[in-house]
Amino acid sequence: MSLVEAAIDAFFSAQTEIIVFAIAICFHSLVFGKYGFAVPAKGSKLTKDLSREGSRSGRDASPRQSLQPAYCAHHTFVRAVSSFLRAEHRQQEVNLEISKQLELSAAGTEIEALEALLSALGKPTNAEVLAAVRGVLQQQGLQPSMRLYELLLRGYLALRLLDDFSDLLAEVEAHVAVPPSIKVLALRAAIQASDCEAAIACVPGLAST
């Protein structure tokens, strides 16, 4: 009898995970078939992204699109920060370096430069870099573009930093209408966190897009 009770307890303790898994299966075609995600390439990501983006120049922009023009326009900034990040640094040092290099960019192109940096670094992006980008945005009073928001959210999701993801998602929802691509990320985060209620809450918004 004790074995049966133990089995029942185990089943009920796993209910949330089972429900969330069922949601993921039921809406896989709706979500991931409609808004696909490219698998991160191995090896030199930047080189492969640049060659791939060359054949996509006529398509609509996304966090992985238009990388080549953005990277070329901010090559010096991206290269300087990337070189700096090859060694380990404290959070404050990363913040200062990105802020310093960003000051050398042309006025009005700061957001594009940060987009180019995160696109070039790929995922999972260093957690210190994500924090530094948000810190610079706040320090300089810059309003992120939707593309930059999405790049940051993808970075947090890849690193499983779900608290940071939720904090930034709340910021996005407070300022702008959330596009389908970010709604999909929110669903993925809810599934990753085994948050049944959050996952269910994401479904109506996706079904209406």
Side-chain angles (χ1 to χ4, degrees), residues 61-65 67 115 119 146-148 150-151 154 181:
S62 75
R64 292 181 61 85
Q65 292 176 332
L67 174 59
E115 291 173 353
S119 296
M146 191 58 64
R147 182 170 183 256
L148 184 54
E150 187 172 339
L151 286 165
R154 286 178 180 276
S181 58

Side-chain angles (χ1 to χ4, degrees), residues 1 8 40 45 53 55 60 63 70 77 86 92-93 95 104 112 114 128 133 153-154 158 191 193 206 208:
M1 186 66 179
I8 293 174
K45 179 182 183 301
E53 292 304 324
S55 62
D60 293 335
F77 170 75
R86 288 172 187 166
Q92 185 177 8
E93 294 173 331
N95 291 12
L104 302 177
E112 292 180 2
L114 293 173
E128 286 73 20
V133 169
L153 288 168
R154 286 178 180 276
I191 293 173
L206 288 170
S208 63

Side-chain angles (χ1 to χ4, degrees), residues 17-181:
E17 288 76 5
I18 293 172
I19 294 173
V20 172
F21 179 75
I23 292 173
I25 295 298
C26 291
F27 291 94
H28 182 277
S29 297
L30 170 66
V31 177
F32 298 101
K34 193 173 181 180
Y35 308 108
F37 294 96
V39 177
K42 296 183 178 179
S44 176
K45 179 182 183 301
L46 179 58
T47 301
K48 293 180 180 180
D49 277 345
L50 291 177
S51 61
R52 182 162 54 250
E53 292 304 324
S55 62
R56 293 195 201 170
S57 56
R59 301 183 183 181
D60 293 335
S62 75
R64 292 181 61 85
Q65 292 176 332
S66 302
L67 174 59
Q68 186 172 8
Y71 175 78
C72 292
H74 302 284
H75 172 72
T76 302
F77 170 75
V78 173
R79 184 176 60 181
V81 176
S82 299
S83 299
F84 177 81
L85 294 173
R86 288 172 187 166
E88 293 186 4
H89 299 280
R90 292 178 298 177
Q91 181 66 67
Q92 185 177 8
E93 294 173 331
V94 178
N95 291 12
L96 290 173
E97 180 64 19
I98 291 180
S99 181
K100 181 182 74 175
Q101 295 298 334
L102 199 61
E103 290 177 358
L104 302 177
S105 300
T109 66
E110 295 88 352
I111 296 299
E112 292 180 2
L114 293 173
E115 291 173 353
L117 175 64
L118 294 183
S119 296
L121 292 177
K123 61 180 184 179
T125 302
N126 188 296
E128 286 73 20
V129 174
L130 297 176
V133 169
R134 292 188 68 186
V136 168
L137 290 171
Q138 184 176 10
Q139 179 185 4
Q140 300 190 14
L142 299 172
Q143 176 60 43
S145 63
M146 191 58 64
R147 182 170 183 256
L148 184 54
Y149 271 134
E150 187 172 339
L151 286 165
L152 288 165
L153 288 168
R154 286 178 180 276
Y156 285 135
L157 188 60
L159 293 171
R160 300 184 67 87
L161 298 175
L162 299 183
D163 288 341
D164 292 307
F165 180 95
S166 297
D167 178 61
L168 182 58
L169 179 62
E171 179 182 324
V172 176
E173 292 173 337
H175 287 86
V176 294
V178 180
S181 58

